């Protein structure tokens, strides 16, 4: 990339509509460890580890996200896919490994849906670093 200033350097937030914002925020915190938005500026916000982020629009008729009325899917990098899948399943969530759990060149993936039907892809990086 020729420009080294005046460019996006990361994702600062992910905002979306929800039928029940408070309970959905708590689900993300309890199930996936995504801290809810702090109530004050003194409270620390959720911090992610630096790493690859893929930005990729899909065709509007994709079935990859599940329900066609849902307009987004989020991918979370995770440190131990098997442990997280096991914990989510123990909590009663359906989680499916992609590719039967076998690694792709860039890692392993699993998918689930939040309580409002938004697709969540879990990614344990490995192998080829796309960034």
């Amino acid at each position: 990339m020729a420009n080294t200033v005046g460019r996006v350097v990361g994702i600062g937030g992910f905002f979306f509509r929800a039928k029940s914002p408070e309970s959905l925020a708590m689900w993300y915190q309890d199930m996936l460890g995504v801290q809810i938005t702090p109530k004050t500026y003194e409270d620390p916000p959720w911090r992610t580890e630096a790493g690859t982020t893929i930005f990729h629009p899909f065709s509007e008729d994709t079935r990859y996200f599940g329900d066609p009325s849902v307009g987004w899917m989020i991918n979370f990098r995770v440190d131990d896919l098997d442990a997280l899948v096991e914990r989510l399943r123990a909590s009663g969530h359906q989680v499916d490994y992609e590719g039967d759990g076998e690694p792709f060149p860039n890692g392993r993936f699993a998918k689930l849906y939040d309580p409002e039907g938004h697709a969540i892809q879990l990614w344990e990086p490995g192998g080829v670093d796309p960034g």
Side-chain angles (χ1 to χ4, degrees):
M1 174 185 268
N3 272 342
T4 58
V5 295
R7 61 186 176 91
V8 172
V9 296
I11 295 175
F14 180 71
F15 308 96
F16 58 98
R17 291 182 177 94
K19 295 177 185 116
S20 181
E22 293 81 16
S23 66
L24 193 58
M26 289 306 300
W27 182 88
Y28 274 89
Q29 180 169 285
D30 294 344
M31 293 295 109
L32 301 176
V34 177
Q35 293 174 342
I36 60 172
T37 304
K39 302 222 184 297
T40 71
Y41 287 104
E42 288 75 36
D43 295 328
W46 178 48
R47 294 224 177 259
T48 63
E49 294 181 12
T52 301
T53 300
I54 303 298
F55 181 81
H56 181 77
F58 280 74
S59 170
E60 67 182 347
D61 62 353
T62 187
R63 291 293 207 172
Y64 194 58
F65 304 170
D67 183 341
S69 69
V70 177
W72 59 267
M73 175 181 76
I74 191 163
N75 170 298
F76 288 116
R77 283 186 310 273
V78 302
D79 60 359
D80 187 330
L81 184 64
D82 294 325
L84 182 52
V85 167
E86 183 178 318
R87 192 176 81 237
L88 288 163
R89 286 179 174 169
S91 295
H93 294 86
Q94 180 178 339
V95 185
D96 298 312
Y97 283 101
E98 295 186 27
D100 296 323
E102 293 299 314
F104 290 87
N106 60 335
R108 297 173 57 229
F109 297 86
K111 190 185 286 182
L112 71 148
Y113 295 87
D114 76 16
E116 293 194 6
H118 303 105
I120 301 166
Q121 185 180 56
L122 305 173
W123 170 40
E124 181 182 80
V128 177
D129 181 0

